[in-house]
Amino acid sequence: MKSILVQFDTDVQPSVFDRVVAVDSGVEQLFAYGGVTPETVESLVHGAIFTRGVHDLSSTAIFVGGSDVAAGEQVFAAVQEAFFGPMRVSVMMDSNGSNTTAAAAVLRARRHVKLAGSVAVVLGGTGPVGQRAAELLALEGARVRVGSRSLERAAATCESIATRVEGAELDPVATSDSDSVATALAGAATVIAAGAPGVQLISAETLAASDLQVAIDLNAVPPLGIDGVEMTDKAVESGGVVRYGAIGVGGTKMKIHTAALKRLFVANDGVLDTEAIYRIGESLEK
Amino acid sequence: MKSILVQFDTDVQPSVFDRVVAVDSGVEQLFAYGGVTPETVESLVHGAIFTRGVHDLSSTAIFVGGSDVAAGEQVFAAVQEAFFGPMRVSVMMDSNGSNTTAAAAVLRARRHVKLAGSVAVVLGGTGPVGQRAAELLALEGARVRVGSRSLERAAATCESIATRVEGAELDPVATSDSDSVATALAGAATVIAAGAPGVQLISAETLAASDLQVAIDLNAVPPLGIDGVEMTDKAVESGGVVRYGAIGVGGTKMKIHTAALKRLFVANDGVLDTEAIYRIGESLEK
Amino acid sequence: MKSILVQFDTDVQPSVFDRVVAVDSGVEQLFAYGGVTPETVESLVHGAIFTRGVHDLSSTAIFVGGSDVAAGEQVFAAVQEAFFGPMRVSVMMDSNGSNTTAAAAVLRARRHVKLAGSVAVVLGGTGPVGQRAAELLALEGARVRVGSRSLERAAATCESIATRVEGAELDPVATSDSDSVATALAGAATVIAAGAPGVQLISAETLAASDLQVAIDLNAVPPLGIDGVEMTDKAVESGGVVRYGAIGVGGTKMKIHTAALKRLFVANDGVLDTEAIYRIGESLEK
């Protein structure tokens, strides 16, 4: 029985990127849909679960993607609501690469820093990748500072993560200028910059003056997020700081993406959300 | 040469259901199109018939589907009009599963009742599945009562079927309430309930008081069409009546669908309409 | 690693024709996109170039098609602008079959006439196929007369070709009626009729009175472009003129199309435009 991946993309044109990775992960038949909405996804899901017998449903799976992460979350929820008890297939959500990127960044940080008990800062922490990175750092027991230009949004993100991660230590911090960023980094061992493309968040001086052990910049559009971290940096040590750029994290991200797609076909009840994808990435580190 | 199935779906998103069945029937390459209209299908058909040589055209075929059966019929006709003499490919129409469902229901009924000469009632007989079931029952020589809330529409359906089935015995019946349904069932050996989802057409009392030998309910949304027939019933005998629910008929339907898809690639001139699909199902019974 | 062809079609529905040829050329995975515009193609191209490693990019390629050749040219240009240095894939443009048809016509003409130094006329020479045929004839050293009802547009086409073909000898000619067509053909050895479908450009008398050695008509909709050339003519000699109709050229066109698709996967930096596709066709003649 051939493996079928049904790709639900919230963009008009389904992502070429996600299709290529699906093919390279070994998917035999890929059904790519663009312009998918929570309202229209139900009958498509029913088509996926009411064709093959229940014992063959592990050969069918669903991937939710697209550039709009909030829209993807809604489709991801609607897909799960359309299942009927055991009549279900495994589903993975990775709109805009948000889950695989956050997982890759935290797993890379973990190679160099003992996260549990140490301070980790996420700049751009209210965006889709930033929120996910903060959640995963909290899962690892880090004391997480969620940075945003808006303290209010940072606080909302912290509250949201706290409902999912028991015992999480989360502090919202306003990071509106160079001084407030320096303050946010005080005593921190880890920083993940997940801000908007083309916006510098940390100057070279601030980086040099920090106590950071690892600095990861996920921005791939110049000017980059951390002055002193190159896009291709991959565990480059300089001035006592291990540095990663967006491309430097990309290899790990791609491995996680591929492994998660393969995991979809192991059983028919997988729900690959932020944490599940992180755990898959974790298993690759061993 | 790889087998190619071109799926013309009248819905915006081409059916996942039809795609999965196509893959599982062995189709190697599936080109799925959504939003297909009679006006836009011609150039797509030309692309299918003017590429491979005439001797290879049996490796290409067309499937017409979608939730709107009337729209599918128009596309089915337009596809056939776009052929050029021997430059043609086989084509199957099964919008909303209408042909395979009707075929499965009648073939299942035939296992338990001698249809020729006996009375068969189709409730919801003017809908897409009901019309097709009535036509197939007439083909088998049954005396068919086509039930509808509107006697006028029932009569129109009877007239339409009479033009296609020589010597058909068809009677329109108004089935607007419990009493008229009981009257319609008087002396009938077979009933197929093909009404709207979630609408009960036959009460338990009416069923018990009838002379029916087989009762088939194609409604898959509670409340079901026949009180006393479960969705999963498959040849369940009780009170002298053999009962089938929508899921109980589903296995036969799926086998017919798969066999019909395979038949598409036997020659390049197949036209798989209601009767042709029924004949394929019939050949599976032997 | 599976070969992936990403088809960017400017029509709403991606061409079935191009998909079938892609499958038959051996492409393993075909990602077909309809409604592609220069504005929306960039992120799709990035998905194609930022997934596989640079050494594997020769297994991914892009095909630009659709019925609107001008729109296809814009997408073709936008695709190339979206590449990043070595991060690129091979790309072929053949909207409406324009490049493969023009190449096939000129290669067929070349079998019968020494093009260098002889006069070749292209009627409908300002249309997408006509322009390309004129360019290829100029490349072969023919003295090309570009015919159009509008002398102004013919002149513009000549100027455009002159910028691409060094030393090209090009003359615009107005071909508004039978007399002007006869004048345009005076002394010509070759004519390619690439006018609008269903419009006759050369009468039987004009053809008989000409000095033509080869007459190729690419019109596939009656009335054909040259009275006396049948659609299926393939090197049919009559009255001293070797004749080709649209279908007669079609076999060569299809071979060029298939060979060009295969060429896409030889390296990751191919740009298959009019001349490159012609050169591929030329290599098949040997």
Side-chain angles (χ1 to χ4, degrees):
Chain A
M1 177 154 288
K2 285 192 176 162
S3 61
I4 295 176
L5 184 67
V6 188
Q7 177 182 353
F8 292 139
D9 200 301
T10 56
D11 294 342
V12 172
Q13 304 281 26
S15 161
V16 170
F17 188 101
D18 291 334
R19 292 174 86 162
V20 173
V21 180
V23 166
D24 287 349
S25 79
V27 165
E28 290 171 291
Q29 291 279 345
L30 181 62
F31 300 170
Y33 289 84
V36 176
T37 63
E39 292 73 32
T40 57
V41 83
E42 188 185 50
S43 69
L44 299 173
V45 174
H46 288 175
I49 63 179
F50 290 135
T51 34
R52 294 172 160 184
V54 67
H55 298 298
D56 292 323
L57 284 177
S58 61
S59 294
T60 307
I62 292 172
F63 177 89
V64 178
S67 61
D68 182 336
V69 179
E73 284 171 339
Q74 289 179 23
V75 169
F76 187 48
V79 165
Q80 295 173 68
E81 282 163 22
F83 293 151
F84 273 83
M87 305 307 285
R88 57 189 296 133
V89 298
S90 289
V91 54
M92 168 179 180
M93 191 281 195
D94 197 33
S95 292
N96 216 21
S98 53
N99 281 325
T100 50
T101 301
V106 175
L107 286 167
R108 278 286 159 174
R110 207 180 70 166
R111 290 191 180 195
H112 308 284
V113 175
K114 186 176 181 334
L115 292 172
S118 74
V119 174
V121 179
V122 181
L123 298 178
T126 61
V129 173
Q131 284 187 36
R132 286 165 166 78
E135 177 175 337
L136 296 175
L137 289 164
L139 268 172
E140 289 287 1
R143 290 152 54 203
V144 185
R145 294 182 191 151
V146 175
S148 169
R149 277 165 301 176
S150 155
L151 186 63
E152 197 179 343
R153 278 189 288 135
T157 293
C158 290
E159 281 174 33
S160 167
I161 294 173
T163 64
R164 292 193 296 280
V165 183
E166 208 181 338
E169 290 190 66
L170 296 149
D171 288 303
V173 289
T175 51
S176 48
D177 56 21
S178 187
D179 283 353
S180 55
V181 167
T183 305
L185 294 178
T190 304
V191 68
I192 295 175
V199 177
Q200 185 185 296
L201 298 171
I202 302 180
S203 67
E205 297 72 36
T206 302
L207 183 61
S210 75
D211 303 316
L212 288 166
Q213 295 170 44
V214 62
I216 297 176
D217 183 11
L218 300 175
N219 181 355
V221 179
L224 300 180
I226 305 178
D227 190 9
V229 177
E230 301 297 319
M231 214 188 298
T232 54
D233 279 357
K234 184 174 177 181
V236 172
E237 193 163 349
S238 169
V241 186
V242 179
R243 296 149 198 251
Y244 284 90
I247 293 177
V249 170
T252 301
K253 176 203 176 299
M254 194 67 91
K255 279 178 193 154
I256 297 171
H257 190 160
T258 301
L261 288 171
K262 289 181 177 173
R263 183 69 61 85
L264 286 172
F265 297 98
V266 170
N268 77 321
D269 61 354
V271 177
L272 304 193
D273 56 9
T274 304
E275 183 178 350
I277 289 170
Y278 180 71
R279 295 303 176 202
I280 289 167
E282 198 175 24
S283 71
L284 301 175
E285 299 278 300
K286 286 159 189 171
Chain B
M1 177 154 289
K2 285 191 176 163
S3 60
I4 295 176
L5 184 67
V6 188
Q7 177 181 353
F8 292 139
D9 200 301
T10 57
D11 294 342
V12 172
Q13 304 280 26
S15 161
V16 170
F17 187 100
D18 291 334
R19 292 173 86 162
V20 173
V21 180
V23 166
D24 287 350
S25 80
V27 166
E28 290 171 291
Q29 291 278 345
L30 181 62
F31 300 170
Y33 289 84
V36 176
T37 63
E39 292 73 32
T40 57
V41 84
E42 188 185 51
S43 69
L44 299 173
V45 174
H46 288 175
I49 63 179
F50 290 135
T51 33
R52 293 172 160 185
V54 67
H55 298 299
D56 292 323
L57 283 178
S58 61
S59 294
T60 307
I62 292 172
F63 176 90
V64 178
S67 60
D68 182 336
V69 179
E73 284 171 339
Q74 289 179 23
V75 169
F76 187 48
V79 165
Q80 295 173 68
E81 282 163 23
F83 293 152
F84 273 83
M87 304 308 286
R88 57 189 296 132
V89 298
S90 288
V91 55
M92 168 179 181
M93 191 281 195
D94 197 33
S95 292
N96 216 21
S98 53
N99 281 325
T100 50
T101 301
V106 175
L107 286 167
R108 278 285 159 175
R110 208 180 69 165
R111 290 192 181 195
H112 308 285
V113 175
K114 185 175 181 334
L115 292 173
S118 74
V119 174
V121 179
V122 181
L123 298 178
T126 61
V129 173
Q131 284 187 36
R132 286 165 167 77
E135 177 174 338
L136 296 175
L137 290 164
L139 268 173
E140 289 288 0
R143 290 152 54 202
V144 185
R145 294 183 191 149
V146 175
S148 169
R149 277 165 301 176
S150 155
L151 186 63
E152 197 179 344
R153 278 189 288 135
T157 293
C158 290
E159 282 173 33
S160 167
I161 294 172
T163 65
R164 291 193 296 281
V165 182
E166 208 181 339
E169 290 190 66
L170 297 149
D171 288 302
V173 289
T175 50
S176 48
D177 56 21
S178 187
D179 283 352
S180 55
V181 168
T183 305
L185 294 178
T190 305
V191 68
I192 295 175
V199 177
Q200 186 185 295
L201 298 171
I202 303 179
S203 67
E205 297 72 37
T206 302
L207 183 61
S210 75
D211 304 315
L212 289 166
Q213 296 170 43
V214 61
I216 298 176
D217 183 11
L218 300 175
N219 181 355
V221 178
L224 300 180
I226 305 178
D227 190 9
V229 177
E230 301 297 319
M231 214 188 298
T232 53
D233 279 357
K234 184 173 177 182
V236 171
E237 193 163 348
S238 169
V241 186
V242 179
R243 295 148 199 252
Y244 285 91
I247 293 177
V249 170
T252 301
K253 177 203 176 298
M254 194 67 92
K255 279 178 194 154
I256 297 171
H257 190 160
T258 301
L261 288 171
K262 288 181 177 172
R263 183 69 61 85
L264 286 172
F265 297 98
V266 169
N268 77 320
D269 61 354
V271 177
L272 303 193
D273 57 9
T274 304
E275 183 178 350
I277 289 169
Y278 180 71
R279 296 303 176 201
I280 289 167
E282 198 175 24
S283 70
L284 301 175
E285 299 279 300
K286 287 159 189 172
Chain C
M1 177 154 289
K2 285 192 176 162
S3 61
I4 295 176
L5 184 67
V6 188
Q7 177 181 354
F8 292 139
D9 201 301
T10 56
D11 294 342
V12 172
Q13 303 281 26
S15 162
V16 170
F17 188 100
D18 291 334
R19 292 173 87 162
V20 173
V21 180
V23 165
D24 287 350
S25 79
V27 166
E28 291 172 291
Q29 291 278 345
L30 181 62
F31 300 170
Y33 289 84
V36 175
T37 62
E39 292 72 32
T40 57
V41 84
E42 188 185 51
S43 69
L44 299 173
V45 174
H46 288 175
I49 63 178
F50 290 135
T51 33
R52 293 172 160 185
V54 66
H55 298 298
D56 292 323
L57 284 177
S58 61
S59 294
T60 306
I62 292 172
F63 177 90
V64 178
S67 61
D68 183 336
V69 179
E73 284 171 338
Q74 289 179 24
V75 168
F76 187 48
V79 165
Q80 295 173 69
E81 282 163 23
F83 292 151
F84 274 82
M87 305 307 286
R88 57 189 296 132
V89 298
S90 289
V91 55
M92 168 180 180
M93 191 281 195
D94 197 32
S95 292
N96 216 21
S98 53
N99 281 325
T100 50
T101 301
V106 175
L107 286 167
R108 278 286 159 175
R110 208 181 68 166
R111 290 191 180 195
H112 308 285
V113 175
K114 185 175 182 332
L115 292 172
S118 74
V119 174
V121 179
V122 181
L123 298 178
T126 61
V129 173
Q131 284 187 36
R132 286 165 166 78
E135 177 174 338
L136 296 174
L137 289 164
L139 268 173
E140 289 287 1
R143 290 152 54 203
V144 185
R145 295 183 190 149
V146 175
S148 169
R149 277 165 301 176
S150 155
L151 186 62
E152 197 179 343
R153 278 189 287 136
T157 293
C158 290
E159 281 174 32
S160 167
I161 295 172
T163 64
R164 291 193 296 281
V165 183
E166 208 182 338
E169 290 190 67
L170 297 149
D171 288 302
V173 288
T175 51
S176 48
D177 56 21
S178 187
D179 283 353
S180 56
V181 168
T183 305
L185 294 178
T190 304
V191 68
I192 295 175
V199 176
Q200 185 185 296
L201 298 171
I202 303 179
S203 67
E205 297 72 37
T206 303
L207 183 61
S210 75
D211 304 316
L212 288 166
Q213 296 170 43
V214 61
I216 298 176
D217 183 12
L218 300 175
N219 182 355
V221 178
L224 300 180
I226 305 178
D227 190 8
V229 177
E230 300 297 318
M231 214 189 298
T232 53
D233 279 357
K234 184 174 177 181
V236 171
E237 193 164 347
S238 169
V241 186
V242 179
R243 295 148 198 252
Y244 284 91
I247 293 177
V249 170
T252 301
K253 177 203 176 299
M254 194 67 92
K255 280 178 194 153
I256 297 172
H257 190 160
T258 301
L261 288 171
K262 288 181 177 172
R263 183 69 61 84
L264 286 172
F265 297 98
V266 170
N268 77 321
D269 60 355
V271 177
L272 304 193
D273 57 9
T274 304
E275 184 178 350
I277 289 169
Y278 180 72
R279 295 303 176 201
I280 289 168
E282 198 175 25
S283 70
L284 301 175
E285 298 278 299
K286 287 160 188 170

